[in-house]
Amino acid sequence: MATVNVMKLEKIISMANQKVRLRFLAMERSLRATGCQLPLLVIPYDDNLFELPEGSTWWEIPEITNWLNSEQAHPAMRKYQCSTVGNYQFVDADVCFLRNPEAVLASHSGFITSCGHWRDPSGTCTPASQRLMSSKSTLWQRDVFNTGQFACDRALFTVESLKATALQSDFIETCLRCSHNEQPGLNLLVFASRVDITNLTLPPIRMESTWAGDYPGEYAPYWTDPQRQPYLIHWAGTPMDIPRPINQIFYNFLTSTEKTEWDEQVRQWSWLNRQKNWSVRAIAQRCKRAFYRLIQT
């Protein structure tokens, strides 16, 4: 009789620094509110650390950190160390849990994602990695994922095999030289490992979206089926200065003092974004005027 593999989570992994402290605290509290008491390992994004709550510890693999630093890789590529362990759920700090991941993932095996990047895979690859993935499968878009939340029941690499894979000539630009973030690199590494990938938002599960950006209005009407309700919500670039009912899930895990601090941070980010947009528009207008002067001469 064949053995059915199931995932038995042993740890939750995240990444944080002082800048995302409030987001991390809300994530940790939401996790504990589901009944999950697993150890929470936190990868340092940089050296700006803060005091972690009980049950959480900073987690670093110096050999990987030193290697990535020597390669001048993006700090978020420290997530690669997740691929050297098994039985974990990884989440970025901008996640809130709705259900206990231990129970949700217990019937699954392999590499588990629950995002909608199959609808728009552009942010999950570089031209080089897209060529590699599409050369192996016409359905490569089905297996790409958002690297802000994923789980796996096995180690995909050793430290040495991770380094060797990322340093291959057709991998290095995506896995180590990408200046934006770690997402294309981690997608390519998981693809190269040949692990079976299951996306819970695709058939047969068809879980409702885990991305906050898919809920501009009320979210409860989408979650009437308990089996299809997302087990976490990921804000992943969703602007928090735009009021959305779903943001209340995050606010519920902040104290009143923290909520005041958060509101001030949001105001500052909003102002900086407006300044940046005004600068971009001003440059565009100057270029447009210069172009018109050129064609009129």
Side-chain angles (χ1 to χ4, degrees), residues 17-233:
N17 64 1
Q18 177 64 33
K19 184 177 180 181
V20 299
R21 179 180 62 88
L22 291 178
R23 284 200 184 265
F24 174 85
L25 291 176
M27 181 276 292
E28 188 270 346
R29 292 165 188 167
S30 73
L31 174 69
R32 301 313 184 199
T34 69
C36 180
Q37 299 301 322
L38 291 175
L40 178 50
L41 307 182
V42 189
I43 302 170
Y45 180 85
D46 53 29
D47 294 332
N48 298 309
L49 308 184
F50 58 94
E51 185 177 353
L52 295 173
E54 184 178 355
S56 303
T57 55
W58 294 105
W59 176 53
E60 189 171 18
I61 299 179
E63 187 177 354
I64 293 178
T65 302
N66 294 337
W67 164 59
L68 291 173
N69 288 343
S70 71
E71 295 287 344
Q72 298 183 316
H74 195 285
M77 291 178 180
R78 295 182 183 190
K79 290 183 191 179
Y80 292 173
Q81 71 186 48
C82 294
S83 67
T84 65
V85 299
N87 293 318
Y88 67 87
Q89 162 85 63
F90 176 89
V91 289
D92 274 344
D94 59 343
V95 162
C96 280
F97 285 92
L98 304 176
R99 293 193 277 155
N100 189 330
E102 295 175 271
V104 173
L105 300 177
S107 60
H108 300 286
S109 63
F111 192 90
I112 309 300
T113 76
S114 58
C115 75
H117 259 303
W118 47 267
R119 297 177 301 185
D120 178 13
S122 58
T124 63
C125 57
T126 61
S129 66
Q130 181 176 334
R131 285 194 296 272
L132 281 170
M133 292 189 289
S134 63
S135 71
K136 301 296 183 182
S137 172
T138 57
L139 301 177
W140 64 272
Q141 300 96 326
R142 177 194 57 192
D143 291 333
V144 297
F145 60 97
N146 186 291
T147 56
Q149 47 110 346
F150 52 90
C152 193
D153 65 355
R154 69 200 69 178
L156 304 181
F157 301 97
T158 64
V159 172
E160 288 306 316
S161 65
L162 169 65
K163 293 164 67 173
T165 301
L167 287 167
Q168 290 181 58
S169 59
D170 49 355
F171 280 65
I172 191 168
E173 290 301 319
T174 300
C175 295
L176 295 174
R177 304 286 180 260
C178 185
S179 60
H180 302 300
N181 55 47
E182 84 297 345
Q183 188 153 275
L186 190 50
N187 266 273
L188 183 56
L189 288 168
V190 172
F191 182 85
S193 76
R194 299 184 180 180
V195 64
D196 288 336
I197 300 173
T198 299
N199 191 321
L200 301 182
T201 67
L202 290 173
I205 308 300
R206 293 190 175 94
M207 181 179 287
E208 291 291 345
S209 177
T210 57
W211 182 48
D214 280 333
Y215 300 96
E218 292 297 331
Y219 54 88
Y222 294 101
W223 298 350
T224 55
D225 183 348
Q227 297 304 310
R228 294 181 58 202
Q229 178 185 357
Y231 74 108
L232 55 81
I233 288 294

Side-chain angles (χ1 to χ4, degrees), residues 266-278:
V266 170
R267 279 192 290 271
Q268 292 177 9
W269 294 333
S270 182
W271 182 84
L272 288 172
N273 284 333
R274 287 198 301 272
Q275 292 294 106
K276 186 185 300 183
N277 290 337
W278 289 336

